[in-house]
Amino acid sequence: MNDSGKDFSSPQDTPASTPRPSAFEQWRRKAMLVTGLGVTTDERLEDLRAHQIRECERKTEYLYNYSPVVVFMLKHLKLSGCEVPPSNILCAPCDLTKAGGFTPDPGAVILCAGHFFSQQHMESTITHELMHMYDHCRFKVDWGNLRHHACSEIRANNLSGDCRFTRELRRGFVSFSKQHQACVRRRAIESVSANPACPNEAAAERAVNEVWESCFNDTRPFDEIY
């Protein structure tokens, strides 16, 4: 390296690039991963995870640009001063108990690759997490305050499509009387119970009950329940 900061190494000093595998070798490797012949279990799992993340990223890009409800939420987040670039919606491996999550700082949505059974499921998960982001941005939610957390969970479950009848049917919950409200309440209590600041389920249920009426009826930024 000379004083100008530019590298004038001779061609022989530059390492040769690694040759790309032939089409046959790529096909052979893929066949081995599919059949399990000649590869380890860890290699197969790693290939599966990589495939799930690619599929998650592809579908996320589509929803980011073309889903009416996701585009609507992104627009209102921007209007609230919290624009969400595509890079802030991430696909990653997760445990089997969740489909997504939200991190207040730096304001990112995490989608659990391989955990979605339909595009609508992914759409409602993104919307749910963007609702948390909207509340955090617009109302300065203190996530250690159980009442604050309960309110955002009620709103996210109420407005994202998470509690559609077909979703509840898939979960094994069937009710023909106030099914939507029961779903919103149950899921909000479950989420608040998982808050490290929550001592027990009774405290979570109490927090949800205390804010239920005002938060269930607050549909901002929507005009009505989506």
Side-chain angles (χ1 to χ4, degrees):
M1 185 76 71
N2 67 8
D3 293 339
S4 69
K6 295 181 181 179
D7 190 355
F8 291 105
S9 302
S10 60
Q12 58 266 32
D13 294 330
T14 304
S17 59
T18 304
R20 184 175 179 177
S22 66
F24 173 77
E25 283 300 320
Q26 293 181 53
W27 173 87
R28 179 173 171 273
R29 176 67 177 170
K30 192 65 180 178
M32 290 167 65
L33 288 165
V34 170
T35 62
L37 299 174
V39 293
T40 66
T41 301
D42 286 346
E43 286 176 316
R44 291 193 72 188
L45 288 174
E46 185 59 35
D47 181 69
L48 176 61
R49 280 193 290 266
H51 172 74
Q52 290 173 337
I53 288 174
R54 287 194 301 271
E55 281 297 293
C56 177
E57 290 173 343
R58 181 180 64 81
K59 292 174 181 176
T60 298
E61 182 180 8
Y62 175 84
L63 292 170
Y64 184 95
N65 290 294
Y66 300 110
S67 162
V69 64
V70 172
V71 170
F72 178 87
M73 284 302 306
L74 292 170
K75 172 188 172 183
H76 282 272
L77 275 157
K78 184 176 182 179
L79 289 172
S80 299
C82 295
E83 186 171 2
V84 183
S87 58
N88 279 34
I89 302 181
L90 312 169
C91 291
C94 304
D95 64 54
L96 295 175
T97 63
K98 60 185 73 175
F102 160 68
T103 58
D105 186 16
V109 170
I110 310 298
L111 299 175
C112 297
H115 291 205
F116 300 100
F117 54 80
S118 69
Q119 182 168 288
Q120 188 181 73
H121 183 199
M122 178 180 277
E123 180 182 58
S124 62
T125 300
I126 295 173
T127 306
H128 181 116
E129 304 306 338
L130 290 178
M131 183 61 67
H132 286 321
M133 194 179 292
Y134 177 86
D135 286 353
H136 184 76
C137 176
R138 183 82 182 271
F139 307 120
K140 313 305 178 189
V141 174
D142 174 4
W143 298 99
N145 182 312
L146 299 189
R147 287 164 58 93
H148 285 205
H149 185 186
C151 189
S152 189
E153 290 296 347
I154 290 167
R155 283 169 39 73
N157 284 292
N158 188 29
L159 300 170
S160 65
D162 271 333
C163 284
R164 290 189 182 97
F165 180 79
T166 51
R167 291 291 303 280
E168 279 291 85
L169 188 62
R170 187 180 182 91
R171 296 181 185 117
F173 293 95
V174 181
S175 173
F176 296 97
S177 176
K178 296 187 177 181
Q179 171 270 330
H180 181 80
Q181 290 92 328
C183 170
V184 173
R185 187 184 295 275
R186 185 190 74 250
R187 288 174 59 80
I189 292 171
E190 287 173 357
S191 294
V192 176
S193 294
N195 188 322
C198 183
N200 50 51
E201 187 175 328
E205 186 171 359
R206 185 165 56 251
V208 169
N209 289 338
E210 287 171 353
V211 300
W212 174 262
E213 187 172 354
S214 61
C215 297
F216 184 82
N217 291 316
D218 183 357
T219 61
R220 289 175 291 178
F222 297 95
D223 293 328
E224 58 187 12
I225 295 173
Y226 170 69

